[in-house]
Amino acid sequence: MNLLEVRGLTTAFMTGRGEVNAIEEVSFSLKEGEILGIVGESGSGKSVTALTVMGLLPQPPARVAAGEVVFNGQNLTRMSDRDMQRIRGPGISMIFQEPMTSLNPVFSIGDQIMETIAAHERLSQADLRKRAIDMLDKVGIPSASKRLDDYPHQMSGGQRQRVMIAMALACNPKLLIADEPTTALDVTIQAQILDLLMDLRDEFGMAIMIITHNMGVIAETADRVLVMYAGRVIEEAPVAQVFDRPLHPYTRGLLECVPSLTEDKPRLVAIPGTLPEPARRPPGCRFAPRCSHALPACSEAIPGLELLEPAHTVACFRAQELAPA
Amino acid sequence: MTTPLVTASGLSKHFEVGGGGFFGLRKAATLKAVDEVSFTINAGETLGLVGESGCGKSTLGRLLLRLIEPTSGTIAFDGNDITRIGRMEMRGYRRSMQIIFQDPYGALNPRMSVEDIIAEPLVIHGAKPGAETRKQVTQMLEKVGLPARALDRFPHEFSGGQRQRIGIARALVLHPRLIVCDEAVSALDVSVQAQIVNLLQDLQREMGLTYLFIAHDLSVVRHISDRVAVMYLGKVVEVADKKTIYAAPLHPYTQALIAAVPAQHPAQRSRGRRQRIAGDIPSALNPPSGCRFHTRCPHVMPVCRERAPELREAAAGHQVACHLTDI
Ligand SMILES: Nc1ncnc2c1ncn2[C@@H]1O[C@H](COP(=O)(O)OP(=O)(O)OP(=O)(O)O)[C@@H](O)[C@H]1O
Ligand SMILES: Nc1ncnc2c1ncn2[C@@H]1O[C@H](COP(=O)(O)OP(=O)(O)O)[C@@H](O)[C@H]1O
Ligand code: SF4
Ligand code: SF4
Ligand SMILES: [Mg+2]
Ligand SMILES: [Mg+2]
């Protein structure tokens, strides 16, 4: 059984211009211990997907217009807020891009970690403290027992992200959603945090959904990859397939426009244009205005995800014909 | 062609900070944001500048343009010392040196039309608003790949990439010689980033520009630069041509930085294979003694804690500041 099943998820927002779909018909699944990478440019719907799964979007303005989220056999989309709160923490936890915005500046980090644990488990103050120190140790904060009484502003960005991870792990979640966990960090710290996430997966066997716009982070961590564009999943495959045999023109473009660390390229292969806002998405294939392979038919209907090769699905009318031999 | 356009010698910028209680710090302290840095930028080249957040890249960029005054040291532009010249004389140099910032949203005045934004530097330097100015602005707009109908529109009507094009047009309208690109493509999505990198390279060729390209993305820096300088806590620790510095870096910090870049293919995953440096970058307010990298360096020796290594030529065109290469 899959740990998480997301089926046909469409989340809409009420805006000044009426209701628009931030994400459309998003489907994917996640097994225990698996790392799923979700990649796409900003505005492609990665965070909305994660927040919908977590049930964290304020409704209104948000509304789950279609689809369902099934976690551990339970349908989260129909769950009450109170039941949902019991899933967050021991079931699913989330960490965000900017740790400072999710940590409370007026409480010590120890208090914040202990509060998270206390919300789900009855433990004595002394045991709570011990668990908090344990967690800080696990995420690699040196002299954890001394740092417990520190406030968020007394820590570096990398340390704050470690504290966030400690909080997210405090209740032994089965699934950790990491939304751009290293985007605000320097590369040496990013490498440490990515190592840490992989170590934790190996140690506890939790599943991780890692959301990023960086193909390098995907290459480093993911088992399987979901590529999103303009609110839709346009390709899904095991990580090696995505890099060796991308089948969607957009995925190919994403890989080609990154400069190399070892080879000289005279010129970068850019994708013309920009990602459309939800209210201004073109009809048919959302990528058509930027796609060098677009045909008139591409703008007439939205291509659905199809299984083209084993474990490899893609949403492009011409994928078969354009696939490399 | 290796005539220096810019020469920085022993350049420092120290900030007096503190006095408040934010870090429990009562006494005012000196923050050495840039500390005795010397290097050159050759005419027509792109010098990449990399290093972790807070190491002094932006401060150094601003010093070169004299947007802030150095605490000590000198800057020569085209062979002339511009460090202590007066405002009027500086005006003449100002038009030759421009800067492009990271944030395409914050850098443009939301109440000005695109035409006024691009024309402003011309007007400041004495041009009269009118047909001639409009022509120059339109030409610039075309050069950066925006249609003439963009002239009467406002920044919020454009995407991030288009706003960055507007920022570039504004920086180039005076036909400067030196451009400091401070994280100019860092906030952009990769597909748009590639468009802007290509544009910057085209404009460099066409207009004979010299770039100081500040960025934290090491693969973008490799792509656009001729030479690369690496900074750590206010010091330049290594400078070399890009091929050398990426293929055979000498400074342990440069090595760590390159090793930390995520793999470009899952078959090259770095976890468990590449050496990681532990710990965080120390506070710039209280940098380590001797070599500032010694608290994180895997090759640290006793001498490193006592004496700061100087930036020395280790091979032709390759400078490094490390006691390992001194021996
Ligand atoms: N006006 C100022 N007053 C006090 N300290 C400053 C000032 N400007 C910069 N600093 C400090 O100088 C150091 C270097 O800052 P700088 O902005 O040059 O770093 P940077 O390398 O550009 O970092 P980033 O990659 O985050 O942009 C930092 O410690 C910073 O806090
Ligand atoms: N609260 C909101 N109200 C209206 N639109 C929103 C809201 N949150 C996100 N969106 C829109 O949904 C789309 C997807 O956003 P998001 O999931 O945050 O993208 P990503 O995380 O991939 O950068 C964007 O176009 C964004 O503007
Ligand atoms: S469906 Fe058509 S426009 Fe869309 S990605 Fe495929 S070829 Fe391009
Ligand atoms: S001088 Fe010493 S501490 Fe500094 S980089 Fe070299 S070996 Fe490391
Ligand atoms: Mg997001
Ligand atoms: Mg900066």
Side-chain angles (χ1 to χ4, degrees):
Chain A
M1 190 183 69
N2 286 320
L3 179 66
L4 179 73
E5 285 264 2
V6 172
R7 300 189 197 115
L9 201 61
T10 298
T11 304
F13 283 100
M14 194 41 95
T15 71
R17 288 206 211 98
E19 201 176 54
V20 293
N21 292 339
I23 57 169
E24 287 174 339
E25 296 171 34
V26 170
S27 298
F28 61 92
S29 63
L30 198 57
K31 291 196 224 352
E32 266 176 46
E34 190 181 28
I35 301 188
L36 175 73
I38 301 188
V39 67
E41 295 179 276
S42 64
S44 58
K46 307 180 295 294
S47 296
V48 170
T49 302
L51 293 168
T52 310
V53 168
M54 285 293 280
L56 283 177
L57 284 173
Q59 313 193 15
R63 180 172 77 89
V64 178
E68 55 186 13
V69 177
V70 178
F71 176 74
N72 229 358
Q74 289 175 287
N75 191 332
L76 305 190
T77 12
R78 298 218 187 86
M79 206 171 258
S80 71
D81 281 353
R82 269 195 56 211
D83 289 343
M84 196 59 215
Q85 254 168 37
R86 273 200 280 273
I87 298 280
R88 281 183 223 124
I92 316 176
S93 277
M94 184 160 172
I95 54 176
F96 302 89
Q97 170 171 352
E98 192 21 82
M100 205 53 190
T101 54
S102 11
L103 288 170
N104 191 326
V106 303
F107 291 108
S108 73
I109 57 161
D111 284 345
Q112 296 185 55
I113 300 174
M114 290 192 280
E115 192 194 298
T116 313
I117 305 170
H120 297 278
E121 284 175 66
R122 274 176 195 282
L123 289 176
S124 71
Q125 195 63 23
D127 283 343
L128 279 177
R129 205 175 157 85
K130 222 175 117 253
R131 265 281 278 288
I133 294 172
D134 232 37
M135 289 323 303
L136 287 180
D137 244 0
K138 278 223 167 67
V139 299
I141 301 262
S143 20
S145 55
K146 289 204 199 78
R147 303 303 305 257
L148 208 58
D149 300 313
D150 280 0
Y151 289 83
H153 75 258
Q154 291 169 295
M155 315 199 97
S156 69
Q159 286 175 328
R160 276 183 223 133
Q161 197 54 286
R162 284 173 196 270
V163 170
M164 280 304 302
I165 296 174
M167 278 171 69
L169 296 179
C171 299
N172 284 317
K174 291 197 165 61
L175 168 63
L176 176 71
I177 302 180
D179 190 357
E180 310 259 7
T182 58
T183 302
L185 305 175
D186 282 312
V187 283
T188 60
I189 312 300
Q190 163 167 284
Q192 295 170 7
I193 298 288
L194 295 181
D195 285 355
L196 171 65
L197 288 175
M198 308 276 285
D199 291 346
L200 293 168
R201 187 269 301 258
D202 292 352
E203 197 181 334
F204 301 110
M206 67 182 171
I208 301 179
M209 197 161 118
I210 190 158
I211 295 177
T212 178
H213 63 271
N214 184 334
M215 273 294 189
V217 171
I218 294 286
E220 284 285 345
T221 58
D223 300 321
R224 215 149 40 83
V225 183
L226 215 62
V227 185
M228 290 190 73
Y229 185 80
R232 304 184 70 94
V233 176
I234 54 106
E235 185 159 10
E236 182 191 338
V239 66
Q241 281 286 101
V242 167
F243 284 83
D244 290 337
R245 221 180 139 65
L247 293 177
H248 197 284
Y250 175 65
T251 312
R252 271 202 287 272
L254 263 190
L255 287 165
E256 274 172 1
C257 63
V258 192
S260 161
L261 204 57
T262 47
E263 279 161 49
D264 294 338
K265 295 186 189 175
R267 204 176 161 75
L268 295 179
V269 186
I271 306 176
T274 48
L275 188 96
E277 290 166 37
R280 297 190 186 167
R281 287 181 188 143
C285 174
R286 310 300 198 206
F287 189 56
R290 305 177 70 188
C291 180
S292 56
H293 303 292
L295 297 174
C298 297
S299 298
E300 275 157 31
I302 300 177
L305 272 175
E306 274 177 50
L307 191 72
L308 223 68
E309 292 176 6
H312 194 159
T313 56
V314 58
C316 164
F317 293 125
R318 304 192 63 194
Q320 184 98 63
E321 145 202 12
L322 297 169
Chain B
M1 188 193 63
T2 49
T3 349
L5 179 66
V6 182
T7 306
S9 315
L11 204 57
S12 297
K13 178 67 188 182
H14 298 175
F15 293 107
E16 296 305 319
V17 295
F22 194 56
F23 285 102
L25 164 128
R26 291 273 152 226
K27 239 174 42 205
T30 303
L31 190 153
K32 298 181 177 176
V34 171
D35 201 22
E36 304 215 14
V37 160
S38 304
F39 65 97
T40 57
I41 311 176
N42 297 321
E45 81 166 343
T46 298
L47 178 69
L49 183 59
V50 298
E52 284 171 288
S53 181
C55 70
K57 306 180 294 295
S58 298
T59 305
L60 184 55
R62 271 154 235 240
L63 279 173
L64 293 189
L65 304 192
R66 274 197 66 194
L67 296 175
I68 50 176
E69 296 299 324
T71 308
S72 59
T74 58
I75 306 148
F77 187 82
D78 216 6
N80 305 306
D81 188 338
I82 59 163
T83 330
R84 270 157 272 276
I85 59 173
R87 280 188 69 171
M88 285 317 288
E89 204 181 335
M90 191 59 212
R91 254 183 100 105
Y93 288 100
R94 272 270 131 78
R95 54 185 308 157
S96 309
M97 331 163 121
Q98 296 290 324
I99 187 162
I100 305 167
F101 295 103
Q102 161 166 9
D103 180 12
Y105 306 88
L108 307 175
N109 183 338
R111 273 180 286 280
M112 279 167 79
S113 70
V114 169
E115 176 171 12
D116 291 342
I117 288 172
I118 301 174
E120 192 178 43
L122 289 169
V123 174
I124 288 173
H125 282 89
K128 299 248 179 331
E132 177 53 25
T133 302
R134 185 154 215 192
K135 202 176 116 210
Q136 278 177 276
V137 170
T138 316
Q139 272 171 359
M140 221 41 248
L141 210 56
E142 202 174 297
K143 260 198 173 44
V144 300
L146 287 173
R149 66 187 140 80
L151 281 179
D152 304 317
R153 292 166 60 189
F154 290 83
H156 72 264
E157 299 174 62
F158 295 88
S159 69
Q162 289 171 322
R163 279 188 258 224
Q164 201 52 291
R165 289 178 196 268
I166 297 169
I168 293 170
R170 177 184 159 92
L172 296 189
V173 72
L174 289 167
H175 291 267
R177 299 175 63 193
L178 172 72
I179 306 280
V180 172
C181 302
D182 191 353
E183 308 274 6
V185 300
S186 304
L188 303 173
D189 275 319
V190 281
S191 70
V192 178
Q193 176 174 293
Q195 297 168 10
I196 301 297
V197 166
N198 286 341
L199 174 66
L200 286 171
Q201 288 188 305
D202 292 344
L203 292 169
Q204 177 168 46
R205 228 167 288 128
E206 246 174 74
M207 302 174 68
L209 300 168
T210 302
Y211 290 144
L212 176 67
F213 192 86
I214 300 175
H216 58 262
D217 183 324
L218 273 89
S219 56
V220 173
V221 169
R222 186 188 189 280
H223 177 80
I224 203 170
S225 305
D226 298 298
R227 292 187 305 136
V228 176
V230 181
M231 274 185 95
Y232 189 76
L233 277 177
K235 289 280 198 193
V236 169
V237 298
E238 185 161 7
V239 188
D241 69 86
K242 72 163 165 202
K243 280 209 170 100
T244 309
I245 208 159
Y246 282 83
L250 288 174
H251 197 284
Y253 177 62
T254 313
Q255 293 166 357
L257 209 54
I258 292 169
V261 177
Q264 296 192 313
H265 190 283
Q268 287 140 23
R269 276 192 187 174
S270 61
R271 176 171 168 246
R273 287 196 310 120
R274 293 196 211 141
Q275 189 163 30
R276 299 281 194 237
I277 45 167
D280 285 333
I281 192 165
S283 158
L285 264 176
N286 187 15
S289 63
C291 171
R292 290 177 182 190
F293 188 55
H294 86 243
T295 52
R296 301 169 83 191
C297 180
H299 309 291
V300 58
M301 306 170 285
V303 61
C304 305
R305 299 193 179 87
E306 277 149 37
R307 242 176 347 100
E310 273 172 47
L311 190 68
R312 287 219 187 104
E313 194 102 349
H318 191 163
Q319 295 159 299
V320 58
C322 169
H323 291 308
L324 279 178
T325 23
D326 268 3
I327 303 161

